[in-house]
Structure formats: structure tokens, C-alpha cells
Amino acid sequence: MAQTTPKGTTNSGVAYAFVSGGDIVHQGVITEWPGAGNTTRSKVPTTLYYDSNQKVVGWGTDFEHVLTPFGVPKAGIQKVEWFKLQLMAHGNSHYGSDLELSPLPPGKSDIDVIADCLSMFHEVIRDALQKDLGRGVFSREESKIKYSITVPGIWTDAAKAALRQAVFQAGFLKDVQDPRLTIVPEPEAAVIERFNMGLFDRCKWHDVVLVINLGGGIVDLCVYGFGGQGSFTIQENALGSGDSCGASALNRSFSNYLQTKIRKMNLPDGSVTASKVYTKCMIEFDSRIKVDFARTGKNWVVDVGLEKDYPDAGIEGGYMTFSDEEISQCFDPVLFRILELVRSQILNIQSRNYTLAKILVVGEFGNSEYFLQQIKSNIPPQHRSGFVRPSGSDSAIARGAVTASVAEKLVTERCSRRHYIVVQKALSRVGQDAEDTRVIIVSKGQQVKCGAPIKVSFVRQVAPGSSLIFEDILYSCDEETCPKTVHDRRVKQIATLASDLSHQKLENFQLVDGLYLVNYDIWLTLDGSELKAELVCAGEHMGLCQTKFA
């Protein structure tokens, strides 16, 4: 069995499949959730509620008991949301640094909070499968379940490693290196899902598809082409792009504007009335206005339940009114950034002389008709016939990720989002100090074969009796042109790789002028999945290096 959890910024869901002989024989989506009653839905809010002891007392759709009648958390309850964006800060200097995110519970790290959320999903998954398979069959098969979790394509190696740690803490894995977990880029999962549905059957070798993933937190764009001899394969043909301009960016924009409007009520700090107005308006924006907005000139009215009028704040007769122009001011910056990303990728495709056959729009915010029409009307006319939003676009990523975890590798190449760099000590003269040499092992935009590690060789001069544990630093740079030195501020440390050769006999290495020349290789997987570093010495595979992310 394979199961996937698209861990969205604003909403998350679970898809699963039963596998026999390598083939999927049944596939489904979990639609029953705690607190939802008889209502079925493919996703639930990615929201947690903690009490004063940092215990989860509400989540997803199971939250009514922790809220007041006004919809705000009761005293001592902390609501935490958008915490997936916290992980973006791991090893990432470009995305998410300007976000104003809600504080985490005292004593909880971002990994802890993600793990708490995933543990809630774990309970739902176990209950659903025990119901489907029976407790006996499930207990026997549980250790064989493969798991996939989807992330934006712009996520760094450090962010993926942090997510893997959270999945382990949540109880899905035997240990943090458990190979049953696959982390799948969201655009890639969407392409695989549509590939299986036959959308690209008529695509030719030089055709490409542009995937626009309108996620809750991140908007992700990737370009995929097709090839293969004897079997159809998918390759990422151009450098992907993205930004933190998803659905939650609209919420932040509206929140800022709403707070400005509420200040015109001239209420004291901490006012219950102001809190009530804010909560009701945010709920209405998230559930209705954001989805239905179409720039038609209509006013948007929210029942805030007040008897007193506050005309300066747009509140009269118990209703707060927002003009279409006010809502447009919240949408426009987000929309303009998305259109900028789309135009840039289309120009990139044209510069490479590819044929843009399809534009595939997916993601939890892919249901916004306004955004879809704006994107479609702003792309060149010749590409509009290939503009596709699949039915169930919000769950397409989940279904594709399940397929990715059980099928043979359909995606054979990915484009590196950054330069990867190491420093090698090249011996200038035996017995003297080595000179440091900066080596780019993968360049930004380079197509890297999936599952094909890259060998990087190192050498150390070691005196008798010295330690045989060595540390090497892996660097990265997001700039187009990589600086000539790792000391440049644009070059960042990704991780320290510790190679333990203490089981080797020093006498087995070459002795020159009283010093042993210890040679070893690190095979680095830098294909856009998860960073792995395997140590090899004298032809012997010695396991994974201990990797400590910066």
C-alpha cells in the first residue's frame, strides 16, 4: 500500500492506493474527518489549537469546542496556522524571510509543530485503513506501507530534511532514514497524475508543459518535457521558479487592510468588539470572498453582528461593507506577482525553442475562477487552447504523489535550483599544506539525472595516531553566476558532512614523509529529491555520512 499526505500551507489531505504486483489496483482519497460530522471533504485546514500546556486540543475540522461563539480561541488556547511556511526558512534566504507568521507555542520548534499536525493525520489514516482492511490485516501490513509527502519545488535540501524529521517524530517511520518515505515536488506529482490520465498522449519530443501550482502558501512553476526510448519518460527541462504568493498571501493582504479599517472604529487596545469584527471578516474572506471574487464591481457585505454603527470603518446596520475596489487592492499585488512568474517562464520556454503544448494549473487555490481567467487572458493567445485546469485540481497532487511512490521512475531528470559547491584540498607538494580549491559539482539550471549520485573525491594528510573522522562542508549559491570563493556572502553553507573512517587501518594508506594520504569519496545525491551523502573508501561502501544542516 502507498499513501500520500500533501502537507499544504492552508489545507491538507490524504490519498492512498492498494498495490498488487507493482500495479495500483485501487485508489482513493480520505474524506471523513474528526469534527466534520456527515460532511465529506478531500482536505481539512492545516490548523492546530494548543492549550497552555502545549498540548494539541483541536485541529483541522475538529475545533468548535476550543472557540468562543464569536469564532475566536477561548482563553488559554493558541491557534497556529501557516506553519509550513516556517520550514521554508531552513536553508532559504530568498523565500519567506519577509513573512509575518504567527508565533509558535512556547518550547515548540517548527519541526515539532509539523510533527504534531502530521500525528493527527496519522491517527486518521490508521483508523481509516483499519476500517477498510480490518485490524488484523492492517497490523500485519502496516510496516510495509510506503509514504509520500509533497512539497513545493522551491524547497531546499535543509527544509526537506527538517520535514523528514517531522514525519519520523509523527510516528510514520521506524527511523529518520526509513526508505519508505518519498518527498515529491508538487508540480511533479501533478504532471504524473495527468500523465496517467492521458493528457500528454499527443505530446512530442520537443513539446513541454508548464505546470502552475497555485498552492496555499507557495506558487510554483515548473517546465517538463517528454522523451525516452521504448518507454515514455518525463524530464524537467528548464529551471523552476516560485514565490510565497499563494492563497495565504491574500489572507495576509486582506488582514492588513482589515486591521487598518478596524482602527477607524477608535476602540481601545484589546477590544473584544474589534476582535469579533476581525474574526468574522477573516472567516468570510477565507470561505467566500476569496473564492467568489471576480472584479464585477459588487460590494461585499459581512454580518459582524454589531448594533452600533461605525461609518468611518464601513459598519452600518450590523454589516461591514467592502467595495470591489478594496478587495481588488488585496488581490492585485498577489496576482501581478503570479503573472510575472508566468510570463518569465513562457519567455524562458521560447528562448529554448521548445513548443509549449500545455499549461496545467493545479493546487488548492486553482479553484479561483478569477485567478484562472486572469492568468489565461494574460498568456499569449496561441497558448490559450492548451490551458488546462483538471477536475479535482486540489487533489491532483495527492493522487500523483501516490503514483510516484509505487510506479517506476517516470521523471528521469530535474533542473538544479542552485549551484552546489565543495572545497577540495589539492596537494601541491607532498608534506606541505594542501591548497583549497573551490569546485562547482552541480551548476544552477543543470539537468541532473534522478537517482544518479555524483562522486566527489577528497584527500587528507594524516599523522600517525590522528582521528580518521573528517568534516567537509557542502555550499550552495542561488545567484545565476557563482562567486569564485566560498567566502563570498552570496555563498551559503548547506551542511557539514562527517565521514567516519575510524574502522579503516591507517597503515592501509600510502605513507609519505611521515604522513598518510587518506583518500575517500562522497557520493552526493543532488537530483532535487533529498540530499544524500554516501561514504566510499578504497571501494568499500561505508554507509551515509552524518549530515548536519546549517
Side-chain angles (χ1 to χ4, degrees):
M1 179 179 173
Q3 172 267 322
T4 181
T5 303
K7 185 69 186 62
T9 301
T10 54
N11 293 280
S12 300
V14 177
Y16 61 91
F18 296 107
V19 182
S20 177
D23 296 323
I24 294 177
V25 296
H26 173 70
Q27 192 168 356
V29 176
I30 290 180
T31 58
E32 296 180 1
W33 302 94
N38 295 324
T39 302
T40 59
R41 50 194 298 171
S42 62
K43 288 191 174 184
V44 293
T46 312
T47 307
L48 295 174
Y49 297 86
Y50 288 89
D51 64 14
S52 57
N53 295 316
Q54 286 71 60
K55 179 183 177 183
V56 177
V57 292
W59 75 285
T61 50
D62 189 16
F63 56 79
E64 287 190 3
H65 58 289
V66 296
L67 301 182
T68 69
F70 299 137
V72 299
K74 294 179 180 178
I77 301 297
Q78 181 181 354
K79 179 182 180 181
V80 184
E81 56 187 349
W82 303 346
F83 41 84
K84 179 181 176 181
L85 295 176
Q86 303 267 5
L87 284 188
M88 274 214 321
H90 288 251
N92 204 330
S93 58
H94 288 272
Y95 305 107
S97 58
D98 58 339
L99 301 181
E100 296 180 4
L101 302 176
S102 57
L104 300 177
K108 292 275 187 180
S109 68
D110 47 10
I111 294 176
D112 294 333
V113 173
I114 293 282
D116 286 342
C117 184
L118 287 171
S119 67
M120 298 295 107
F121 281 93
H122 194 207
E123 291 180 16
V124 171
I125 292 166
R126 296 183 88 255
D127 288 345
L129 295 183
Q130 286 176 356
K131 181 179 178 181
D132 232 4
L133 300 172
R135 291 185 180 275
V137 174
F138 175 77
S139 297
R140 188 176 67 247
E141 300 294 327
E142 184 177 13
S143 63
K144 303 175 185 177
I145 297 176
K146 294 181 178 180
Y147 298 100
S148 297
I149 191 162
T150 61
V151 299
I154 64 174
W155 265 31
T156 63
D157 301 295
K160 293 172 188 174
L163 180 59
R164 174 172 279 274
Q165 176 64 38
V167 175
F168 166 64
Q169 287 183 203
F172 285 90
L173 309 176
K174 301 174 192 174
D175 57 68
V176 75
Q177 298 296 341
D178 194 329
R180 292 181 301 145
L181 173 65
T182 303
I183 296 178
V184 183
E186 290 167 358
E188 190 172 296
V191 165
I192 291 173
E193 194 269 346
R194 287 294 98 183
F195 174 85
N196 286 337
M197 298 298 290
L199 181 63
F200 311 125
D201 285 353
R202 296 185 179 181
C203 287
K204 302 178 182 64
W205 177 81
H206 59 280
D207 291 343
V208 296
V209 55
L210 171 60
V211 180
I212 305 173
N213 174 30
L214 299 177
I218 304 298
V219 170
D220 232 355
L221 288 84
C222 291
V223 179
Y224 295 94
F226 308 95
Q229 294 182 347
S231 62
F232 207 50
T233 59
I234 303 169
Q235 302 95 35
E236 188 178 9
N237 278 21
L239 184 64
S241 58
D243 207 346
S244 50
C245 52
S248 60
L250 281 178
N251 288 51
R252 294 192 298 273
S253 181
F254 179 75
S255 173
N256 292 335
Y257 184 79
L258 176 60
Q259 290 178 66
T260 299
K261 203 163 183 177
I262 288 175
R263 281 194 287 271
K264 295 178 181 179
M265 297 171 68
N266 294 317
L267 297 171
D269 292 342
S271 166
V272 174
T273 299
S275 177
K276 175 182 177 181
V277 171
Y278 176 84
T279 300
K280 284 183 173 292
C281 289
M282 286 303 302
I283 291 173
E284 280 292 294
F285 179 79
D286 192 52
S287 62
R288 179 173 63 92
I289 299 174
K290 185 170 67 174
V291 178
D292 295 341
F293 177 74
R295 205 161 194 161
T296 58
K298 65 178 286 188
N299 286 337
W300 299 87
V301 178
V302 178
D303 182 0
V304 293
L306 300 184
E307 295 182 0
K308 182 179 179 180
D309 290 346
Y310 297 89
D312 290 344
I315 299 176
E316 295 185 12
Y319 293 89
M320 192 172 200
T321 302
F322 299 88
S323 69
D324 210 49
E325 183 58 33
E326 288 178 304
I327 302 299
S328 295
Q329 291 175 18
C330 300
F331 270 74
D332 286 349
V334 178
L335 175 62
F336 292 161
R337 178 55 181 147
I338 294 173
L339 294 178
E340 182 182 23
L341 290 169
V342 173
R343 283 192 292 267
S344 178
Q345 280 292 5
I346 291 177
L347 289 173
N348 187 25
I349 291 168
Q350 292 172 342
S351 70
R352 294 168 178 262
N353 295 319
Y354 291 129
T355 300
L356 181 55
K358 299 287 183 183
I359 298 177
L360 177 63
V361 181
V362 294
E364 60 185 87
F365 199 41
N367 292 325
S368 169
E369 291 295 335
Y370 176 68
F371 266 52
L372 288 172
Q373 292 306 315
Q374 288 298 310
I375 293 172
K376 187 173 183 178
S377 64
N378 278 277
I379 61 176
Q382 66 268 30
H383 300 312
R384 292 174 189 168
S385 61
F387 190 88
V388 178
R389 181 193 61 181
S391 59
S393 64
D394 58 340
S395 59
I397 290 172
R399 298 191 300 270
V402 167
T403 303
S405 68
V406 299
E408 61 182 73
K409 297 295 184 182
L410 291 173
V411 178
T412 58
E413 292 182 356
R414 299 189 185 98
C415 280
S416 178
R417 298 287 180 122
R418 52 193 56 86
H419 301 284
Y420 287 96
I421 310 151
V422 295
V423 172
Q424 294 175 318
K425 292 185 179 295
L427 298 179
S428 56
R429 186 180 299 174
V430 175
Q432 294 186 354
D433 290 338
E435 295 179 357
D436 290 350
T437 303
R438 184 215 66 167
V439 179
I440 300 175
I441 52 177
V442 174
S443 298
K444 183 175 181 178
Q446 177 181 333
Q447 285 185 284
V448 180
K449 289 186 178 180
C450 296
I454 299 168
K455 184 176 78 169
V456 185
S457 298
F458 297 91
V459 61
R460 290 287 195 278
Q461 291 175 302
V462 180
S466 298
S467 171
L468 287 179
I469 299 177
F470 307 113
E471 290 188 346
D472 297 286
I473 297 175
L474 180 63
Y475 300 87
S476 73
C477 176
D478 292 337
E479 303 296 324
E480 296 302 318
T481 302
C482 186
K484 294 183 178 181
T485 172
V486 296
H487 301 298
D488 191 292
R489 62 180 179 82
R490 294 168 294 177
V491 177
K492 308 296 182 184
Q493 290 189 19
I494 297 180
T496 299
L497 309 176
S499 300
D500 187 352
L501 300 177
S502 57
H503 294 295
Q504 295 285 325
K505 292 182 179 180
L506 194 55
E507 294 75 18
N508 291 339
F509 297 98
Q510 183 182 6
L511 179 64
V512 181
D513 295 338
L515 296 175
Y516 290 95
L517 298 183
V518 178
N519 295 276
Y520 59 96
D521 302 320
I522 298 178
W523 288 80
L524 287 166
T525 300
L526 301 170
D527 62 2
S529 55
E530 294 182 78
L531 189 155
K532 292 181 182 177
E534 184 178 6
L535 176 63
V536 178
C537 183
E540 179 184 353
H541 290 257
M542 306 184 67
L544 297 177
C545 296
Q546 183 179 355
T547 303
K548 182 179 180 182
F549 287 91

